[in-house]
Amino acid sequence: MNRLPSAPVDSRYLTRFYIPLAIQAASQALCYPLVAMVASRGPGGPLNLAGLAQANIVMFFFGMFAISYVTTGMVFAKTREGYQKFRFVTLLTGFTVVIIQAILCTPALAHLLFGSVIGLPASIEQPARIGFMTSIPLQFLFFLRIPYFVVMYIGKATGMASFATIGRITLTALLSPLFCMLDLVGPVWAVVCLTIPVAIEVLMSRIFAAPFLKSLVSEPENPPRAREIFWFNLPLSMGGYFLSISAIILAGFIARAPNPDRILPVYYLALGLANPMAFAATRIQTVVLAFPPRSETDRRTLHFAVAAGFTLGLLPLIFSLPGLIEFYYVKLQRLTVQDLQLVRLTAVSLICFPLSVAIRAQSEGLAAWQKKPVTVLAGHALFMVTMITSGFTLLKFGVPGHLIGPVGLTLGSLASSATMRLLLNRVKERNIPVGPTTTSIGQIR
């Protein structure tokens, strides 16, 4: 277990708490490329992989509620009664989501969704429908593990939580070639290869979380209500949809810039390295909720967010160094040599992207800590408005497509953060009391 410091928390302890979170966030995206070989070796070949990717996109869209429940749990699950109510709401939401997903798997609705709405050709629609149906247990497992992660985060045991995720990735890496050797291939077996490690991850998380669950104090006075938890989480989830839609809109602007066939692959290759760093930067929100400010002048987490975001922004540039840039982009990703300078410029322009996300995440953490989820929703709405405005403006003035994305992403996060900070000082919302929590290793601050 992580031992809580008796002295005031400094940057070294924040770093020790944050690094497992960052590793966990950045590494979670690795499981899906690992099972790509299982899907693509089926009878449909690469069409299976395309269908599975579309199925995952739709599954994640309906599971968006799961992402924001971590933040909600950090606020409400600090007592035994709060945790039990939070777990009930989380699992009820997960059950509702999988029921909706199951209904959409019926032949008529599945064809309407994948064939008509998304517009997939029949060769890709079929594996997408199969992958979407077989991912129903996986969807529920994602909801099932959330309460265990939350109680470990509250207990400052981020290392334990990340260990469970690293175990999941390792098992996925072992199972993928094994499935191929046994000729267990295609979209169904690819989803199975994803689901088994997640089930093991849930089991490991439950075991790791057990001591922290036992140490939660009981405070039966004024426990949070299920409706209160759900309505707190709803604006956070809606904000997540704004962020997802914004990325799709931004890609539309880039596609309308000159040479999209050349620019889009370059942009997505560079973004593929920056995105895990930006995802890691979002965990600054958890740091804020675990170590909230002790006074109005306490800027510990803001300073930490700037330092962490700047470091995360520099890490992808390692692959722009001579030798590594040819190995990664040309040999592994099949980029043409003529586009190496272009991808290097794109990577450099993405330096501030993780930094801006870290600052935004710190603002989101402050808003969640003050029980102002609508403030987060407003910030995410302005993120989308800023992305649309900057994309339209940059396109009109002839800015190259590989710069439209980095500028739009950075400005969107900074505008979102500025909006939340402004509203935190002006908007008066009802304060929801959440009792303090003690654990077997000390008082949670």
Side-chain angles (χ1 to χ4, degrees):
M1 293 183 186
N2 294 11
R3 181 172 292 277
L4 295 183
S6 56
V9 175
D10 58 14
S11 59
R12 288 178 299 177
Y13 187 79
L14 291 177
T15 302
R16 195 162 68 247
F17 178 85
Y18 172 70
I19 286 179
L21 289 173
I23 294 174
Q24 183 184 39
S27 61
Q28 282 178 336
L30 295 176
C31 291
Y32 300 94
L34 289 173
V35 302
M37 65 177 76
V38 179
S40 61
R41 280 170 171 75
L47 297 176
N48 288 334
L49 180 58
L52 181 62
Q54 290 293 334
N56 285 336
I57 290 173
V58 178
M59 182 190 71
F60 293 144
F61 182 83
F62 285 102
M64 186 67 69
F65 277 93
I67 298 176
S68 55
Y69 266 128
V70 173
T71 301
T72 302
M74 293 287 291
V75 175
F76 288 97
K78 295 180 178 180
T79 64
R80 186 168 301 170
E81 292 77 15
Y83 174 83
Q84 292 172 350
K85 191 66 67 173
F86 165 72
R87 186 174 185 272
F88 169 77
V89 174
T90 301
L91 296 185
L92 182 61
T93 304
F95 182 73
T96 304
V97 169
V98 299
I99 289 296
I100 295 173
Q101 185 170 336
I103 293 173
L104 290 174
C105 287
T106 56
L109 292 178
H111 174 68
L112 177 65
L113 175 62
F114 291 104
S116 301
V117 176
I118 299 179
L120 297 179
S123 58
I124 299 179
E125 177 189 343
Q126 182 64 20
R129 291 165 58 180
I130 294 173
F132 189 56
M133 180 176 62
T134 52
S135 65
I136 290 176
L138 180 64
Q139 179 81 277
F140 189 73
L141 285 172
F142 285 146
F143 281 89
L144 189 61
R145 72 181 180 181
I146 290 173
Y148 303 130
F149 277 177
V150 166
V151 77
M152 284 188 282
Y153 292 163
I154 291 175
K156 310 298 190 294
T158 53
M160 287 186 176
S162 65
F163 183 75
T165 300
I166 293 172
R168 164 195 166 192
I169 297 167
T170 303
L171 183 57
T172 305
L174 294 174
L175 288 179
S176 297
L178 178 62
F179 273 43
C180 294
M181 291 173 56
L182 297 176
D183 200 31
L184 302 175
V185 293
V188 173
W189 287 109
V191 175
V192 173
C193 191
L194 278 172
T195 305
I196 293 175
V198 174
I200 300 299
E201 180 188 26
V202 173
L203 180 61
M204 292 175 61
S205 299
R206 180 179 180 179
I207 294 172
F208 293 158
F212 301 97
L213 291 173
K214 292 179 180 179
S215 62
L216 289 175
V217 296
S218 178
E219 291 189 2
E221 299 83 9
N222 299 319
R225 295 171 296 174
R227 184 174 60 181
E228 188 177 41
I229 295 173
F230 178 79
W231 286 112
F232 179 92
N233 184 75
L234 185 60
L236 301 179
S237 298
M238 292 175 62
Y241 284 113
F242 282 147
L243 299 182
S244 299
I245 294 172
S246 298
I248 299 174
I249 294 173
L250 188 62
F253 285 113
I254 300 173
R256 287 166 174 77
N259 302 316
D261 292 340
R262 181 188 179 196
I263 295 300
L264 278 172
V266 166
Y267 169 68
Y268 280 119
L269 281 175
L271 188 65
L273 294 176
N275 256 339
M277 300 299 102
F279 192 32
T282 63
R283 296 303 177 93
I284 295 292
Q285 183 182 124
T286 305
V287 175
V288 177
L289 292 171
F291 305 99
R294 295 169 295 186
S295 66
E296 292 184 1
T297 59
D298 187 352
R299 299 289 186 270
R300 290 173 303 162
T301 55
L302 176 59
H303 297 160
F304 181 80
V306 172
F310 182 73
T311 303
L312 291 170
L314 291 177
L315 288 178
L317 294 185
I318 295 174
F319 292 91
S320 297
L321 296 175
L324 279 176
I325 189 171
E326 289 85 3
F327 174 76
Y328 178 75
Y329 288 107
V330 178
K331 291 186 178 181
L332 293 184
Q333 302 294 351
R334 303 300 181 185
L335 187 71
T336 61
V337 177
Q338 292 81 359
D339 288 334
L340 283 181
Q341 184 60 25
L342 189 60
V343 79
R344 181 182 277 117
L345 291 174
T346 306
V348 171
S349 66
L350 284 165
I351 288 178
C352 293
F353 174 40
L355 172 61
S356 64
V357 172
I359 296 173
R360 188 191 79 209
Q362 197 264 348
S363 302
E364 292 168 351
L366 291 176
W369 175 62
Q370 294 183 31
K371 291 80 174 181
K372 297 180 179 179
V374 177
T375 298
V376 179
L377 176 62
H380 289 175
L382 199 72
F383 178 93
M384 184 170 67
V385 171
T386 303
M387 291 268 279
I388 295 173
T389 303
S390 61
F392 179 82
T393 304
L394 294 171
L395 183 64
K396 183 177 181 180
F397 282 93
V399 175
H402 68 282
L403 297 180
I404 291 177
V407 173
L409 289 169
T410 302
L411 291 181
S413 287
L414 292 178
S416 176
S417 178
T419 301
M420 285 184 278
R421 290 179 181 278
L422 181 64
L423 292 177
L424 285 176
N425 293 329
R426 294 188 177 183
V427 178
K428 302 295 182 182
E429 294 185 18
R430 181 171 63 91
N431 190 20
I432 305 172
V434 179
T437 303
T438 58
T439 70
S440 60
I441 54 177
Q443 177 75 25
I444 298 299
R445 298 185 181 187

